[in-house]
Amino acid sequence: MSTMASENQYDPKASEPKWQRFWDDEGVFRFNPDEPGEIYSVDTPPPTVSGKIHIGHCFSYSHQDFIVRFKRMRGFNVFYPFGTDDNGIPTERLIEREKKVRARDMGRQEFVELCQKTLAEELRPKYVADWKRIGMSCDWTIFYTTINEHCRRISQRSFIDLYRMGREYRKDAPTMWCPECQTGISQVECQDKELESSFNDIVFNVDGKDLTIATTRPELLPACVAIFYHPSDERYNRYEGKMAKVPLFNFEVPILADERADPEKGTGIVMCCTFGDQMDMEWQKARSLPIKVAIAGDGRMTEVSGKYAGLKVREARSQIIEDLKAAGLLTGQKSIRHVVNVHERCGTEIEFLKSKQWFIKYLDLKDEMLEWGRQLNWYPDHMRHRFEHWVAGLQWDWLISRQRYFGVPFPVWYCAKCDEVILAREEDLPVDPLTDKPPVDKCPKCGHNEFVPERDILDTWATSSLTPKLCTELYKDHPVFKRLYPMSLRPQAHDIITFWLFNTVVKSRMHDRMNPWKDVMISGHAQDPHGRKMSKSKGNVVDPYEVLKKYSADSLRFWAAGCKLGDDLPFSEKDLVTGEKFITKIWNASRFAFMHLSDYDGGEGKLEVADRWLFTKLSKIIEASTDAFERYEYSRTKAEIEKFFWQTYCDYYLEIVKERLYKPDLRGAESRKAAQYTIYNSLLTIVKMMAPIMPHITEELYQTHFKGRERTKSVHNTKWPEPFKKYADEEAEKAGDLLVEALAQVRKFKSDGKMSLVKELEGIAIAANVENTKLLKLVEQDLKGTGKIKAVEYRTAEGDGVKIDFGA
Ligand SMILES: [Zn+2]
Ligand SMILES: [Zn+2]
């Protein structure tokens, strides 16, 4: 349609940016802190700055925007901020990729500066503009980035508060570690991934005899500290108290019985290696086994692995297997697919590494967590199970320190002598312990005067779990502050319930003993056209920039409105085409309507049955849609309006009133005015109800046709429609429905007979029961005028409905 752009055509490529600028310039979405009305506050997800928005963003952010625009029209004082999440591993990786550098090669200070500069000058402004481009109705002046001074201050204050509450501790212990990112990570960052591997039968030696042990991780042989079997396993009972010699490495380890050994797995006897997995760590603790670390933080083998030292884990694995083969110590090998833990950011297999890390203590709160989850209103309700499932599986306290460069620093120094923790003063926040001095001259515990700064940064989720504070505290010095928190709504996609939603609830409960919001709305995923997950590796990713180029933001949103909240939705080009058709149709219908409204004076005229029929039907849709929207079911509203507009309004009502509009001398001036009144008000209602879903075309129509009379500066600031109660008329509704039924038969008769629709018919006979005949007589004029029928006669029949005899 863009090729034929003209005055008579709507061109979304020109119009959409035009209205987005208008909304900005006119402050249409501006939150007014001084307005007394009820506040609807939204904890907008701050998207991770990634350079480009993806189709999943367009999908779930559209859903929340539908709700927000609806609430705004319902009269709420809407607080809808926007933030960007731009620190931590994802941002570091983005900058490394974009600038072709490696943080570790660059040095910390230089890399942090590069990150700040690239974000501020290149990535962030372009990124934010993309979010505007999909029609988000945020107040862009309520803006934060999770790395700015405001957010660093709040994040560090949160750390200090939780430390004082006794909710944080630092511990030197084995933790989950990503050798690629070279940092400790938390449980939520682990993902299950199925990988090809092999079970290797490896020969140990006990008293000169072979003992075969199966393992998937032969590279851990140098870290082996014991062998375990189940005490009831008669195959191995006789080894009690003996020592086994580890192949290739030739040192001895004890053979021990333990209930936790699984006789069904592999050969039923297992090696326990330092930090091999969680079981190994439990055994290490429970049996006071020695610690032999074979894998270093960079994912390479350590000195204890002898000639394999310096190799990467995978290289060491295959080298050791080769050497075992050569020595005749590998008696079997079976390919398996098994599930391993990988880091969700980089897909690297997770290792365990002993290191000093900070944790938030919360494993003791599992019962409370479940209760917190129950106190939220979940839309859809079943999403609560994901929260509960996560809580049930929680095994680790929250590891919040990261051995990275770009993020919020810990506001912490340590006494160089006694390791006492020295916290920053609140009034000094935000601080960077690497460049700022601690607030004391002497250690309060031992009096020593040298301090070591904490070099780690906070987990990015430790900051983004504070978003309700990050945005509302922008109004900290205003009286409205107290009314902003807890917030009304947290919208988000389901994949980060365990990351973001859960962590935000935890922080809010710890800090304020309340949930951060009342409602949570959870979107599903956008899928590829075949209903599969989109991924770069599958090559099935739909690029929203292409979609916007070919169609429009309105059509993209129209597609996104096509499924129930929480459901996954395959990308469907057909739906975008349907969206474009809707735009063209409502554009044309409005032009037609207003051709006949140039002399309209706003009066009601004398409403006829067809007008009352339309208002009664429309009122029912307003009621149902409002109710649906209140339950976050925007898809129902979209479907109802779409159907009403195409079928009831365009196919019938506009056709039925043509005679009244074109021939006022025949039907009377008051009848014409009533038609104008009905056209105007029903079209305005349709435009308003579609405004949350398709904000641009509806703004265009409002500004072009309605603003002169309505005055409100934007359709998005108008009031959501109320049902037209005073026109409710059941009899008119029935009569109108019969009229539609009769007209449909007339149309079918004409098209079957290859006649023009305006071809005049001499006469028809309608068979209907007494009641329906009475109703049809009320709309006989409309039937004749619309169907181009000279004469109508009636025959009494049984049953419901209408049957027309065209041979009469
Ligand atoms: Zn990683
Ligand atoms: Zn000290």
Side-chain angles (χ1 to χ4, degrees):
M1 57 191 284
S2 60
T3 52
M4 291 176 56
S6 77
E7 237 178 89
N8 297 335
Q9 213 98 35
Y10 173 71
D11 178 15
K13 273 151 218 76
S15 247
E16 292 191 343
K18 176 182 75 185
W19 294 121
Q20 287 158 10
R21 275 195 304 277
F22 169 81
W23 297 331
D24 253 6
D25 295 345
E26 296 293 316
V28 167
F29 309 132
R30 197 65 62 78
F31 169 66
N32 181 357
D34 299 313
E35 195 187 295
E38 196 180 335
I39 289 173
Y40 189 80
S41 51
V42 184
D43 184 16
T44 323
T48 301
V49 175
S50 60
K52 279 190 156 192
I53 56 173
H54 58 72
I55 200 88
H57 286 136
C58 301
F59 183 64
S60 64
Y61 280 78
S62 290
H63 295 165
Q64 52 173 282
D65 196 61
F66 302 156
I67 300 299
V68 171
R69 286 181 187 263
F70 166 73
K71 292 286 181 183
R72 195 179 284 117
M73 293 173 81
R74 291 283 278 173
F76 286 93
N77 187 11
V78 168
F79 178 84
Y80 191 23
F82 192 79
T84 54
D85 194 9
D86 36 23
N87 70 75
I89 294 174
T91 308
E92 290 196 358
R93 295 184 72 89
L94 172 69
I95 303 287
E96 286 182 330
R97 228 172 28 242
E98 292 270 317
K99 294 288 160 188
K100 300 186 173 48
V101 295
R102 267 179 72 95
R104 268 167 222 291
D105 303 338
M106 259 186 111
R108 179 176 183 133
Q109 213 51 41
E110 207 188 329
F111 182 69
V112 166
E113 274 162 28
L114 178 69
C115 288
Q116 290 282 24
K117 190 170 140 66
T118 312
L119 281 168
E121 291 171 11
E122 297 170 34
L123 297 172
R124 202 182 286 126
K126 223 180 114 279
Y127 197 57
V128 174
D130 287 343
W131 295 86
K132 290 189 184 179
R133 184 62 194 88
I134 59 171
M136 294 274 292
S137 67
C138 298
D139 180 343
W140 304 94
T141 64
I142 314 175
F143 182 79
Y144 64 87
T145 92
T146 55
I147 193 63
N148 71 10
E149 193 176 310
H150 168 80
C151 296
R152 292 203 308 274
R153 180 183 306 117
I154 292 169
S155 184
Q156 292 187 338
R157 195 188 63 213
S158 161
F159 175 85
I160 290 172
D161 288 350
L162 294 184
Y163 183 81
R164 295 210 165 112
M165 271 176 226
R167 279 275 157 214
E168 281 162 339
Y169 63 93
R170 186 175 180 234
K171 197 172 157 193
D172 192 7
T175 48
M176 280 176 264
W177 182 270
C178 174
E180 167 66 25
C181 301
Q182 296 193 30
T183 179
I185 60 169
S186 60
Q187 187 181 341
V188 73
E189 291 166 274
C190 294
Q191 245 174 13
D192 286 348
K193 190 174 168 190
E194 226 192 13
L195 283 183
E196 298 283 350
S197 184
S198 61
F199 238 135
N200 307 285
D201 290 334
I202 294 173
V203 179
F204 283 59
N205 188 296
V206 187
D207 296 340
K209 291 203 182 85
D210 289 354
L211 171 64
T212 305
I213 295 180
T215 179
T216 55
R217 301 205 59 187
E219 73 277 14
L220 286 177
L221 282 173
C224 183
V225 286
I227 306 286
F228 282 103
Y229 67 93
H230 195 272
S232 69
D233 195 332
E234 288 175 1
R235 290 173 295 175
Y236 302 115
N237 270 337
R238 58 198 158 99
Y239 292 113
E240 174 80 63
K242 292 189 187 283
M243 300 293 278
K245 192 178 266 179
V246 177
L248 298 185
F249 296 89
N250 294 322
F251 58 86
E252 291 198 320
V253 295
I255 303 175
L256 306 167
D258 195 286
E259 300 278 346
R260 286 166 284 193
D262 181 1
E264 303 297 320
K265 204 175 162 193
T267 48
I269 186 160
V270 290
M271 60 177 195
C272 165
C273 305
T274 295
F275 310 150
D277 60 14
Q278 290 219 52
M279 191 68 254
D280 290 349
M281 284 185 282
E282 270 182 46
W283 271 328
Q284 190 272 320
K285 249 194 229 166
R287 311 297 286 255
S288 303
L289 297 168
I291 288 176
K292 288 182 80 180
V293 177
I295 299 168
D298 60 0
R300 290 179 186 275
M301 304 305 290
T302 63
E303 294 304 313
V304 305
S305 33
K307 69 175 217 189
Y308 307 101
L311 293 182
K312 288 192 163 183
V313 170
R314 289 191 158 271
E315 296 163 355
R317 186 179 300 172
S318 46
Q319 193 58 57
I320 286 175
I321 286 175
E322 285 311 307
D323 292 347
L324 286 167
K325 257 187 209 161
L329 295 167
L330 185 77
T331 56
Q333 209 174 21
K334 194 169 66 188
S335 287
I336 54 161
R337 287 190 70 81
H338 71 154
V339 175
V340 296
N341 270 328
V342 299
H343 185 204
E344 54 103 25
R345 291 288 177 195
C346 66
T348 306
E349 274 184 73
I350 281 165
E351 302 290 349
F352 289 90
L353 191 83
K354 191 158 173 286
S355 56
K356 235 176 190 181
Q357 305 279 2
W358 278 99
F359 295 85
I360 290 180
K361 176 176 165 232
Y362 64 19
L363 282 181
D364 57 320
L365 299 174
K366 281 183 159 195
D367 289 343
E368 286 88 339
M369 289 169 179
L370 293 174
E371 180 54 31
W372 303 341
R374 281 192 288 270
Q375 287 173 15
L376 288 169
N377 302 318
W378 293 82
Y379 297 94
D381 189 53
H382 65 83
M383 290 290 178
R384 183 165 47 88
H385 300 311
R386 295 180 185 236
F387 179 94
E388 294 181 347
H389 186 73
W390 167 250
V391 171
L394 209 53
Q395 288 177 318
W396 293 73
D397 279 336
W398 181 4
L399 192 161
I400 52 165
S401 44
R402 295 290 180 277
Q403 290 69 54
R404 304 287 303 189
Y405 291 165
F406 189 55
V408 178
F410 280 77
V412 169
W413 297 260
Y414 308 99
C415 169
K417 196 169 164 196
C418 75
D419 212 26
E420 174 75 354
V421 171
I422 314 286
L423 295 172
R425 281 184 308 216
E426 194 171 332
E427 58 266 35
D428 295 336
L429 301 180
V431 298
D432 182 354
L434 288 178
T435 51
D436 295 324
K437 283 197 163 27
V440 293
D441 299 330
K442 281 184 182 140
C443 170
K445 200 170 158 194
C446 76
H448 187 71
N449 62 0
E450 279 176 304
F451 304 95
V452 181
E454 174 59 76
R455 301 190 67 86
D456 288 354
I457 55 167
L458 282 155
D459 175 14
T460 178
W461 296 102
T463 304
S464 53
S465 57
L466 292 164
T467 49
K469 289 182 186 295
L470 303 184
C471 59
T472 60
E473 285 200 17
L474 291 166
Y475 285 86
K476 203 170 184 216
D477 301 323
H478 194 285
V480 78
F481 179 56
K482 283 200 280 300
R483 296 163 58 215
L484 287 171
Y485 188 84
M487 302 184 82
S488 314
L489 174 70
R490 156 62 72 85
Q492 63 165 76
H494 64 65
D495 55 342
I496 52 172
I497 289 176
T498 55
F499 284 92
W500 190 41
L501 190 147
F502 172 76
N503 288 337
T504 314
V505 169
V506 164
K507 282 246 180 159
S508 185
R509 297 304 299 217
M510 284 184 177
H511 286 299
D512 305 310
R513 291 186 193 81
M514 60 170 95
N515 275 348
W517 344 271
K518 294 182 196 81
D519 295 355
V520 293
M521 70 176 279
I522 310 287
S523 295
H525 272 167
Q527 300 168 323
D528 84 349
H530 307 288
R532 296 172 310 184
K533 199 176 166 186
M534 288 189 207
S535 74
K536 271 190 204 140
S537 59
K538 280 191 214 140
N540 61 350
V541 175
V542 175
D543 180 358
Y545 297 89
E546 291 300 315
V547 174
L548 286 171
K549 220 187 277 170
K550 193 166 171 192
Y551 300 99
S552 61
D554 277 350
S555 294
L556 193 56
R557 296 166 63 106
F558 183 88
W559 159 72
C563 73
K564 277 171 68 182
L565 180 67
D567 287 358
D568 295 336
L569 181 67
F571 180 78
S572 158
E573 193 139 2
K574 205 176 96 234
D575 288 352
L576 287 148
V577 173
T578 309
E580 292 294 292
K581 281 188 185 153
F582 183 89
I583 292 171
T584 306
K585 183 77 173 177
I586 197 167
W587 169 258
N588 289 335
S590 302
R591 276 174 47 82
F592 167 80
F594 279 88
M595 263 162 40
H596 297 284
L597 289 173
S598 54
D599 61 335
Y600 171 55
D601 64 5
E604 186 178 309
K606 191 168 174 299
L607 291 196
E608 299 203 359
V609 172
D611 307 326
R612 292 180 184 278
W613 163 73
L614 191 79
F615 278 130
T616 305
K617 288 215 140 351
L618 185 54
S619 293
K620 287 185 175 171
I621 285 172
I622 296 169
E623 269 171 22
S625 299
T626 309
D627 185 50
F629 240 131
E630 292 288 1
R631 287 178 284 109
Y632 297 91
E633 281 304 342
Y634 49 77
S635 62
R636 165 128 193 232
T637 305
K638 177 233 171 199
E640 296 261 12
I641 293 292
E642 191 186 1
K643 190 165 154 228
F644 177 85
F645 170 70
W646 280 99
Q647 298 180 1
T648 312
Y649 190 76
C650 291
D651 282 359
Y652 287 100
Y653 184 75
L654 286 184
E655 293 301 320
I656 289 167
V657 293
K658 268 182 182 164
E659 187 180 62
R660 291 161 62 191
L661 295 168
Y662 286 117
K663 299 176 184 167
D665 43 331
L666 187 72
R667 303 284 296 256
E670 285 301 291
S671 168
R672 179 165 189 271
K673 192 184 276 187
Q676 289 178 318
Y677 176 83
T678 309
I679 285 178
Y680 180 91
N681 284 291
S682 52
L683 187 59
L684 177 59
T685 301
I686 292 166
V687 165
K688 282 183 175 186
M689 291 177 79
M690 210 54 171
I693 314 264
M694 301 180 113
H696 306 90
I697 178 67
T698 50
E699 184 74 291
E700 177 91 22
L701 295 173
Y702 177 82
Q703 297 289 340
T704 311
H705 301 303
F706 295 99
K707 190 173 179 177
R709 197 175 293 280
E710 301 300 319
R711 301 278 171 220
T712 308
K713 76 179 160 193
S714 159
V715 69
H716 303 293
N717 297 131
T718 61
K719 289 272 165 289
W720 182 255
E722 293 287 338
F724 298 88
K725 285 222 174 77
K726 67 171 171 170
Y727 305 130
D729 185 334
E730 252 185 74
E731 192 182 64
E733 191 185 3
K734 277 188 203 151
D737 286 348
L738 289 168
L739 171 63
V740 163
E741 202 180 330
L743 282 172
Q745 288 179 38
V746 172
R747 284 179 184 175
K748 182 165 188 309
F749 173 73
K750 287 185 179 176
S751 73
D752 285 353
K754 309 235 176 327
M755 286 174 237
S756 152
L757 283 180
V758 294
K759 156 112 181 149
E760 199 148 80
L761 300 178
E762 284 303 315
I764 59 168
I766 300 179
N769 66 27
V770 177
E771 168 70 16
N772 286 350
T773 303
K774 207 179 90 198
L775 292 168
L776 276 163
K777 283 179 180 168
L778 297 174
V779 289
E780 189 180 300
Q781 245 189 322
D782 290 331
L783 175 60
K784 283 171 158 175
T786 317
K788 312 286 179 224
I789 303 157
K790 276 191 181 159
V792 173
E793 64 177 76
Y794 297 92
R795 291 172 191 164
T796 308
E798 296 291 314
D800 284 340
V802 178
K803 179 117 185 48
I804 300 180
D805 180 356
F806 290 96

